Amino acid sequence: LRSGGSAMIVIARTIFLFVLSSSLLLIAAQTFVPQYKFNELVYFSFGRMLSLPDLKPNVGIWWYFFMETFERFRDFFLVLFHLHPFVIMVPLCFQLQTRPLLLAQVLL
């Protein structure tokens, strides 16, 4: 962190910039593709990735895993698959906070 800067200020600024850039991209998409409503653009941008409605074979392995699971466990595994990177990332960030380049390499 920069000298004199609080961690909370840096976190708040990062979240603000993320929300601002995402909003600007969605507004630009609405401008260039006016036939879609704003909520459809948000769904096509973020919702499909989170809900995984299309289970056609592709390069990834998620489609195969979700084809093999029972329908009643689908929501549980969706949450589990989306939380898994954070469960791995948080302890690594605490353990390697003094070595940011190693942390970046491990996370990639």
Side-chain angles (χ1 to χ4, degrees):
L1 296 175
R2 296 181 195 131
S3 61
S6 171
M8 293 305 287
I9 292 173
V10 172
I11 291 171
R13 184 176 28 200
T14 303
I15 291 172
F16 172 74
L17 288 174
F18 172 75
V19 170
L20 179 69
S21 61
S22 296
S23 301
L24 289 175
L25 285 173
L26 286 171
I27 290 169
Q30 180 67 42
T31 304
F32 294 122
V33 189
Q35 66 263 26
Y36 290 111
K37 296 177 187 169
F38 187 73
N39 60 348
E40 290 175 340
L41 285 172
V42 171
Y43 174 73
F44 288 141
S45 300
F46 302 109
R48 291 183 62 91
M49 180 176 55
L50 295 175
S51 63
L52 202 66
D54 187 19
L55 289 176
K56 294 179 184 168
N58 58 20
V59 178
I61 193 146
W62 281 37
W63 71 269
Y64 180 75
F65 182 81
F66 283 103
M67 287 295 290
E68 296 295 324
T69 58
F70 292 113
E71 190 64 34
R72 64 178 181 229
F73 297 120
R74 179 181 171 83
D75 293 335
F76 170 73
F77 282 111
L78 271 174
V79 170
L80 189 69
F81 270 45
H82 286 297
L83 285 179
H84 183 258
F86 295 108
V87 170
I88 298 297
M89 184 177 61
V90 171
L92 280 174
C93 288
F94 283 119
Q95 186 68 29
L96 299 174
Q97 64 184 348
T98 58
R99 303 176 73 184
L101 291 177
L102 179 60
L103 176 64
Q105 184 178 2
V106 169
L107 291 178
L108 289 177

